[in-house]
């Protein structure tokens, strides 16, 4: 049954300057995709670009493609493009490895830079892999190194001369709460700490200004708002003045000053290059480039404006449609305090998520009670959000809760 | 000008039980590809499999593909397939990250397992990224940790109760010299050391028997003899009895016991799973699976027999054709002491390599004087090697050496 969208909503979509981007994605008909902050959808151009690299480059030109098709420079080339989304210089960003591995590299380098400080400060609600990697690093070094977890509101209080590194995510993965990066970074610098921001949920979703905010280090994800494909490689940012000082322990051959001289001793390459380690996964990197190229056609200010409007609109529609049954809001109610997501809280969030998916609205469940809705302005319309809210109302009004099948948990949720 | 291949060589190819595999690769006509130990060629089936994953899985099923198309198990599934090439159990191998990163993880875990020993022993002629990663690890830990480099003939002498880990490549990347893994591993175990083998140039090229050889740890490369595509992810092997003891510092969410519970504290998954770290690059992993599947159709004993015959044959042809001009042999002359490559030594190796490439024979130059010829039995014929040797003779007899263009170095060689 098609839900008919009220005229006022159709008008919002007609006035949307980003509306034409929807057709640049190969999204299936009838799907409202609220999970682009978990895995961005397929850009229409990506299959063809990938096929070209596979058949014409790998297939025909074989090993020579490292030079003739510039594979060797791909981590820098894609990094330079991502830098434009981050308010950074082209030579401050490189693509390599996974977000977890890049976080380890940069956090390890920061600890080495601060030999007399032993604390990595972060928040308990940070994305778990960030916490795990930092714990792994601190345990591995031993010698009094520790990860200190505090609630978000206590971060500034917890800064001190003991803290080597403050490591936070700009946008909280569960709630979408947005840190004021400039202000938190300033506070950390007042105590002489380095800062490392995880931009997994902000890169490509809102304007980021790493240079203006004086951020030292950052990492981020290629497969969320950059639409780089499943497990797309990650990016790492190092402020230029730090680059030639930083020593990161994952010193692989592609971070060597002369990788093809095959010298027995490591000499770090100048600049951001030393963040590279092993050979990058070219096919996944090419898909990432395609996603980034598409994003660069859009204006991040327009993306942010639409994202904020969509968030407010969605909150209002859910309240209107669901009334007393409406889930609670787990995200900040003020749009400027949120990333590009709305998280709803409901004791039956898992079952609601499954029922929504069955009706074509794909969102994420995050234990124990969060229904996480990613708002990606490039391919979502106000009409999509209207449909999602109407279907949510139907689900909440139905008797579905009494059916045991709703409460089965899948292995990946 | 087509070179006509003598009848006896045509007969060798007619009798080759692996001959039919040549057509399973999308190798361009007229190319003799002696560089499959740098980047294996494209299996014909790979583009279609990749397209299916991109369009039908990522494109249509989006985030659900992690479950419905088994992406979440792909590192294990491909690892289990690779295990069959390594004489290991299916639950002892997993695919993750790059070879460099996996080497770091396993070497770090080995040092942690041996807190009273401070030395990592390796050979000076090991592949540089292995040396760099080990140096990075030892420097990062400090506290007396060191990497000790010895010539290959001195390894057994250098083993002692100081040595935590012996880390070697089974096949030397420059010369193709093959270690006796079983015997070296036994010697290391007599001193209570752990062993970590880099199988980059052996996996898929010759039968490896990790269980029978009692190897503790191993890593290897997906893009050489496994034909997994440029920068394909790497594999890691951990002997089953060690798995639940080993703690590796790159503890990311996919190595957690319950990754989707999003707990704030790391609890390592049981078994090989804890070697995983961040989200794997699915597109590159799918291409790797395609390469491995193709290899599994062949018999590794036949591959090894043909590889040894090809090596002896090529050495003989080069001597016959080039006479006094013939390059020296940098590889062991005894086939059973070599991996699947023949390395020739010549002061003008770089120029010869360029001239060979111009004539359709693609090999590798390795500074300062090595012409490295990978022999991959699945797609090379005896006729190919005959052509390569004839063209080498022509080049050596020509006046090409006097032309300055021959001596220009490209950035990647």
């Amino acid at each position: 049954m098609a839900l008919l969208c009220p005229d006022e909503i159709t008008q919002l979509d007609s006035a949307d300057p980003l509306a034409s981007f929807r057709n640049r994605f190969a999204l299936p008909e009838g799907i409202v995709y609220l999970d682009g902050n978990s895995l961005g959808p397929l850009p229409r151009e990506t299959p063809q670009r990938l096929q070209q690299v596979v058949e014409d480059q790998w297939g025909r030109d074989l090993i020579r493609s490292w030079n003739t098709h510039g594979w060797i420079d791909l981590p820098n080339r894609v990094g330079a493009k991502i830098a434009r989304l981050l308010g950074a210089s082209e030579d401050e960003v490189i693509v390599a490895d996974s977000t977890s591995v890049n976080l380890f590299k940069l956090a390890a380098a920061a600890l080495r830079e601060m030999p007399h400080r032993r604390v990595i400060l972060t928040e308990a609600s940070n994305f778990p892999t960030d916490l795990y990697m930092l714990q792994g690093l601190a345990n591995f070094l031993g010698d009094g190194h520790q990860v200190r977890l505090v609630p978000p509101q206590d971060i500034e209080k917890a800064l001190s001369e003991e803290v080597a590194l403050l490591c936070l995510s700009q946008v909280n993965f569960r709630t979408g709460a947005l840190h004021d990066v400039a202000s938190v970074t300033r506070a950390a610098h007042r105590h002489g700490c380095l800062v490392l921001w995880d931009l997994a949920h902000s890169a490509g979703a809102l304007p980021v200004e790493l240079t203006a905010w004086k951020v030292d280090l950052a990492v981020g994800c290629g497969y969320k708002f950059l639409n780089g494909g499943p497990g797309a490689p990650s990016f790492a940012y190092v402020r230029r003045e730090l680059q030639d000082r930083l020593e990161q322990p994952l010193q692989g051959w592609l971070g060597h000053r002369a990788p093809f001289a095959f010298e027995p001793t490591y000499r770090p390459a100048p600049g951001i290059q030393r963040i590279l380690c092993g050979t990058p996964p070219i096919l996944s990197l090419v898909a990432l480039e395609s996603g980034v190229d598409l994003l660069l056609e859009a204006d991040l200010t327009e993306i942010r404006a639409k994202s904020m409007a969509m968030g407010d609109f969605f909150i209002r529609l859910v309240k209107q449609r669901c009334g007393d049954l409406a889930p609670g809001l787990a995200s900040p109610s003020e749009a400027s305090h949120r990333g590009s997501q709305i998280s709803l809280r409901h004791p039956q969030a898992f079952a609601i998520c499954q029922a929504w998916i069955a009706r074509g609205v794909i969102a994420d469940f995050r234990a124990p009670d969060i229904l996480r809705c990613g708002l990606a302005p490039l391919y979502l319309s106000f009409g999509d959000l209207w449909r999602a809210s109407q279907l949510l109302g139907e689900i909440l009004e139905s008797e579905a809760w009494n059916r045991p099948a709703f409460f089965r948990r899948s292995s990946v949720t």
Side-chain angles (χ1 to χ4, degrees), chain A:
Chain A
M1 177 197 64
L3 290 164
L4 283 176
C5 193
D7 277 356
E8 57 155 336
I9 295 169
T10 313
Q11 280 159 20
L12 276 174
D13 284 327
S14 308
D16 174 9
L18 300 171
S20 66
F21 282 96
R22 170 65 182 78
N23 277 329
R24 308 287 297 280
F25 291 90
L27 272 166
E29 280 298 308
I31 292 288
V32 177
Y33 195 56
L34 304 180
D35 218 351
N37 53 347
S38 192
L39 172 65
L42 172 67
R44 277 197 201 284
E45 210 179 294
T46 299
Q48 181 188 329
R49 287 172 69 161
L50 201 52
Q51 187 185 12
Q52 192 190 10
V53 171
V54 170
E55 301 194 16
D56 299 349
Q57 298 182 12
W58 175 17
R60 193 190 62 209
D61 295 336
L62 295 151
I63 187 72
R64 294 167 290 188
S65 299
W66 282 101
N67 284 324
T68 55
H69 297 294
W71 291 352
I72 196 74
D73 302 317
L74 209 49
N76 305 76
R77 190 169 86 206
V78 184
K81 289 178 177 182
I82 293 173
R84 292 163 54 192
L85 300 168
L86 306 180
S89 298
E90 293 200 341
D91 57 0
E92 291 180 319
V93 180
I94 199 159
V95 175
D97 299 306
S98 68
T99 312
S100 301
V101 170
N102 285 333
L103 190 96
F104 187 93
K105 291 177 195 163
L106 298 190
L111 291 185
R112 203 176 170 106
E113 182 71 13
M114 298 278 189
H116 303 300
R117 298 178 176 213
R118 294 284 188 280
V119 174
I120 303 176
L121 184 66
T122 183
E123 45 174 293
S125 53
N126 199 348
F127 188 63
T129 207
D130 294 23
L131 301 181
Y132 305 157
M133 295 306 289
L134 298 175
Q135 287 160 7
L137 173 62
N139 292 342
F140 190 60
L141 278 176
D143 199 22
H145 285 93
Q146 56 166 293
V147 179
R148 196 169 288 166
L149 304 181
V150 294
Q153 64 276 15
D154 292 348
I155 291 166
E156 300 210 11
K157 274 192 304 207
L159 289 165
S160 75
E161 269 67 62
E162 282 185 304
V163 175
L165 178 69
L166 173 64
C167 181
L168 296 171
S169 294
Q170 186 180 6
V171 176
N172 184 278
F173 81 107
R174 259 200 201 85
T175 64
L178 182 68
H179 273 296
D180 180 341
V181 176
S183 144
V184 176
T185 298
R186 264 197 312 275
H189 285 170
R190 278 197 296 272
H191 295 273
C193 320
L194 287 169
V195 293
L196 165 48
W197 286 97
D198 181 339
L199 308 174
H201 288 267
S202 38
L206 44 93
V208 172
E209 295 295 346
L210 295 180
T211 302
W213 298 341
K214 302 192 190 309
V215 168
D216 301 306
L217 307 164
V219 297
C221 178
Y223 53 79
K224 298 180 184 291
F225 291 99
L226 303 188
N227 306 309
S234 152
F235 62 84
Y237 155 91
V238 179
R239 185 155 55 83
R240 193 189 282 131
E241 304 91 271
L242 283 173
Q243 289 176 358
D244 288 339
R245 262 168 37 209
L246 281 196
E247 294 179 33
Q248 62 92 359
L250 301 188
Q251 47 183 51
W253 71 314
L254 289 188
H256 193 280
R257 180 175 283 263
F260 295 95
F262 297 106
E263 299 169 3
T265 303
Y266 187 73
R267 289 187 295 137
I272 192 73
Q273 202 71 22
R274 63 180 63 187
I275 303 303
L276 278 188
C277 181
T279 310
I282 294 298
L283 307 185
S284 289
L285 195 40
V286 163
L288 173 59
E289 184 173 32
S290 174
V292 171
D293 282 344
L294 177 51
L295 200 55
L296 285 172
E297 292 183 38
D299 178 330
L300 268 179
T301 313
E302 284 180 352
I303 288 179
R304 179 61 174 158
K306 180 174 171 189
S307 157
M308 289 166 77
M310 284 199 305
D312 287 344
F313 176 80
F314 187 56
I315 293 170
R316 181 163 57 83
L317 285 181
V318 168
K319 280 188 192 151
Q320 277 176 2
R321 174 65 185 83
C322 305
D324 291 346
L325 296 173
L329 181 64
S331 298
S333 55
E334 170 64 51
S336 64
H337 295 169
R338 290 191 307 254
S340 207
Q341 82 185 56
I342 297 295
S343 294
L344 303 173
R345 183 165 271 140
H346 193 286
Q348 305 301 349
F350 176 74
I352 295 172
C353 190
Q354 297 302 101
W356 228 3
I357 290 172
R359 289 160 177 77
V361 179
I362 301 176
D364 251 345
F365 165 72
R366 285 290 175 259
D369 59 357
I370 296 284
L371 195 57
R372 191 176 79 160
C373 309
L375 304 180
L378 286 197
Y379 47 82
L380 283 173
S381 66
F382 291 91
D384 286 334
L385 296 179
W386 183 81
R387 279 185 55 213
S389 64
Q390 302 309 300
L391 291 165
L392 181 62
E394 279 181 23
I395 292 165
L396 292 171
E397 285 161 2
S398 76
E399 292 301 308
W401 313 118
N402 300 320
R403 293 209 305 270
F406 267 101
F407 300 97
R408 269 208 308 271
R409 292 278 294 272
S410 68
S411 62
V412 182
T413 50

